[in-house]
Amino acid sequence: MSDIEHYFDWAATSPADEDILKESLEESLECWANPSSGHEAGKKARELLENARKRAAKVMKVPENTIYFTSGGTESDQIPLLAVLNKPAKGTVLVSSIEHPAIREQAQALKKCGWNVVSIPADKDGIITPEAVTNLLTPDTMLVCVMAVNNETGSIQPIYQIADAITQWSQGKRRPKFHVDCVQAAGKIPLNIGYKGIDSAAFSAHKICGPRGIGILYLKDSIEPFLKGGGQEKGFRSGTENVYGAVAFSKCLERYYMTESKAPEINTADFVTKLSQLKNCTIVPESRLEKQDLFSPYVVQAAFKNIPGNVMLRALDAKGFYISTGSACSTKKANRPVLEAMHIDASVRETAVRFSFGPKTTQKAVDELLEAVNEINSTFQH
C-alpha cells in the first residue's frame, strides 16, 4: 500500500514534487553564492532568484515587484500584521474568527501592545460575509484579515466581495488594508490576487508540493516592515535569500496554481454525500451537502458520533490511511477555535476529523478511504 496513495492530510503538508525539487536543487547548486554579493558568482545567484520571482509573478498575473520571498506562510501573514506597529497611533485590526493560528495568535500579540483586535463572526456555514466585515469597520481600522479558504472546513471566503465592500465603505475616508491568507487556497481554487481591493496575500510552498521553509508575500503597495535587518527583498524581509526554495516554489506555482482557466481536477462531492449516509456521521457544516460550491473539494470535515477524533485518526492510521483532526499546528490542543466560531456543538467538535486531498489523490484511493471509514464507524455504532 502506497503511503502517498492513502495520504489524506494534504492540508497539513503536501508530498513534494520530486522532479521539481531535484531540478531546482541542481540549478541552485550551480548558483551557490549569496545573491547580495557583488561579484560574478553572486550576480548569477541573483539572476536565478529574480527569474524565480518573475515566473511566480507571471503565474499569479501580478507585477514582479509585488512578489517577496519569505520563510513560509506564517511569516507572510505576520509581515502585514506587524507593520501596523509602525503606525503613530494605535487603532483597530479586524481578524476573522476562522483564521489560522499564524494570524489569530499574532493578532493577540498586537492586542497586548494596546491595539484593539476585533473578531469578525462567521455564519453557520463558516463563511465571513462582507456585511459581517463592514458592520465592524471603524474610522481607526487599519487592517482587515480574512483567509481565502479555511484550512479545517474548506469553506471558500468571498474575498473579492469583501474587498469591494471595504472599498465602498471607505469612500471619502482612509481605507483599511485588506490581507488575505491564501495558503490553503493556492492549488485548490482559482485565485485572482491582483484584484483591486486585495492589498496583501500569503502563500506557502509546502502546501503545493514544494519545499518547506519558503513562502511568498504579495504586496500591492509598499509598507514599512516592523522587523529590520540586512535589507534583502527590498527591505521587506531581511535575511539571506533561499534561492533554491524560490526556484522550486515558482515551478510548483507553474504546475499547480489555479486561475479561472484552470479549475480543480478533483471532485469529492460524491465522497461527501456517501460519508453523510453513514450511521451517525455529520458533515461539518451540514449545509455543505446543499452548498458544495461554497467549499473547496480538497478539504472535507466530518464528525462520527461515539468516535473521538483522535480515535478515528489512530484507527485509520492502523489501516494505512492518514488524516488529521484539524490544523497540524493545533494537533496537541484540545480546543477547535474554527468550529467554535461556527457554533458547532461540543460533541461534534470532539468527534470531528479532516480529510484533505491533493493532485495525486486517485478516485480508487478515495473509495478505499470511504470503505475503511465505514468499517471503523460500523464497529463503534453497534
Side-chain angles (χ1 to χ4, degrees):
M1 172 179 296
S2 167
D3 284 350
I4 292 181
E5 183 182 0
H6 294 95
Y7 181 71
F8 298 98
D9 197 18
W10 286 74
T13 196
S14 58
D17 188 309
E18 292 186 26
D19 292 341
I20 287 178
L21 267 61
K22 288 177 181 178
E23 183 180 79
S24 301
L25 180 59
E26 289 178 3
E27 290 181 30
S28 63
L29 287 174
E30 292 179 7
C31 302
W32 41 264
N34 189 319
S36 297
S37 297
H39 47 62
E40 188 61 30
K43 291 176 182 178
K44 287 183 179 180
R46 169 60 59 183
E47 182 179 4
L48 188 60
L49 177 67
E50 294 309 319
N51 281 339
R53 194 186 317 278
K54 187 178 298 184
R55 293 168 72 167
K58 183 178 180 180
V59 172
M60 295 180 171
K61 297 182 179 179
V62 295
E64 60 186 273
N65 64 356
T66 63
I67 297 295
Y68 300 86
F69 290 110
T70 68
S71 65
T74 294
E75 187 179 24
S76 295
D77 276 329
Q78 292 181 347
I79 289 175
L81 266 173
L82 290 173
V84 304
L85 294 175
N86 291 311
K87 302 294 182 181
K90 296 180 177 67
T92 297
V93 172
L94 303 185
V95 175
S96 92
S97 56
I98 59 168
E99 291 301 296
H100 186 274
I103 283 183
R104 188 175 66 243
E105 296 301 323
Q106 187 61 60
Q108 290 308 303
L110 292 181
K111 191 173 184 178
K112 291 180 180 179
C113 293
W115 280 74
N116 181 33
V117 176
V118 179
S119 178
I120 310 168
D123 65 17
K124 59 182 176 59
D125 298 325
I127 302 294
I128 303 295
T129 65
E131 293 75 23
V133 175
T134 54
N135 286 342
L136 295 174
L137 288 173
T138 54
D140 73 340
T141 302
M142 301 291 182
L143 179 68
V144 177
C145 299
V146 180
M147 66 193 338
V149 171
N150 184 259
N151 53 300
E152 293 195 30
T153 67
S155 58
I156 301 172
Q157 305 306 312
I159 55 173
Y160 311 114
Q161 292 90 335
I162 291 173
D164 289 342
I166 294 173
T167 299
Q168 185 173 0
W169 178 90
S170 303
Q171 290 181 358
K173 45 188 175 285
R174 182 190 50 76
R175 183 185 183 278
K177 296 288 187 181
F178 180 39
H179 174 72
V180 181
D181 181 335
C182 292
V183 170
Q184 287 294 347
K188 293 184 174 72
I189 63 168
L191 281 173
N192 176 18
I193 63 163
Y195 194 79
K196 57 186 177 181
I198 296 176
D199 297 289
S200 57
F203 299 86
S204 181
H206 79 99
K207 302 294 188 181
I208 55 169
C209 303
R212 296 164 195 180
I214 183 72
I216 281 177
L217 170 63
Y218 161 76
L219 274 178
K220 183 178 181 181
D221 299 306
S222 179
I223 62 173
E224 183 183 352
F226 179 72
L227 297 178
K228 311 291 184 179
Q232 290 90 344
E233 293 299 287
K234 292 187 290 185
F236 286 98
R237 197 274 169 179
S238 294
T240 302
E241 301 93 338
N242 179 355
V243 177
Y244 156 69
V247 172
F249 198 176
S250 67
K251 292 184 178 184
C252 286
L253 287 169
E254 288 175 331
R255 184 166 294 180
Y256 298 108
Y257 194 77
M258 287 185 192
T259 59
E260 292 299 334
S261 61
K262 185 179 180 182
E265 296 178 357
I266 194 169
N267 184 354
T268 53
D270 187 53
F271 172 74
V272 172
T273 300
K274 289 180 179 178
L275 263 187
S276 70
Q277 294 168 351
L278 299 182
K279 186 177 181 180
N280 289 332
C281 175
T282 302
I283 302 300
V284 182
E286 294 183 68
S287 58
R288 177 168 186 156
L289 290 164
E290 289 76 42
K291 302 176 181 180
Q292 291 277 15
D293 59 326
L294 296 182
F295 298 84
S296 166
Y298 289 91
V299 182
V300 175
Q301 184 96 194
F304 301 85
K305 187 177 180 181
N306 302 324
I307 314 177
N310 58 350
V311 173
M312 176 61 83
L313 185 154
R314 290 198 298 269
L316 281 171
D317 191 11
K319 291 177 175 288
F321 295 85
Y322 308 119
I323 65 166
S324 69
T325 54
S327 169
C329 304
S330 305
T331 299
K332 297 180 181 179
K333 300 177 183 177
N335 63 327
R336 300 289 297 276
V338 170
L339 302 188
E340 288 175 17
M342 295 166 60
H343 303 289
I344 300 297
D345 186 81
S347 62
V348 176
R349 297 200 304 265
E350 293 167 2
T351 58
V353 295
R354 178 181 70 184
F355 306 98
S356 52
F357 313 86
K360 296 178 183 177
T361 303
T362 65
Q363 185 59 51
K364 175 176 175 289
V366 173
D367 292 341
E368 290 170 350
L369 169 65
L370 187 66
E371 183 180 345
V373 170
N374 184 31
E375 290 175 1
I376 296 166
N377 186 57
S378 298
T379 301
F380 281 84
Q381 303 304 339
H382 283 309

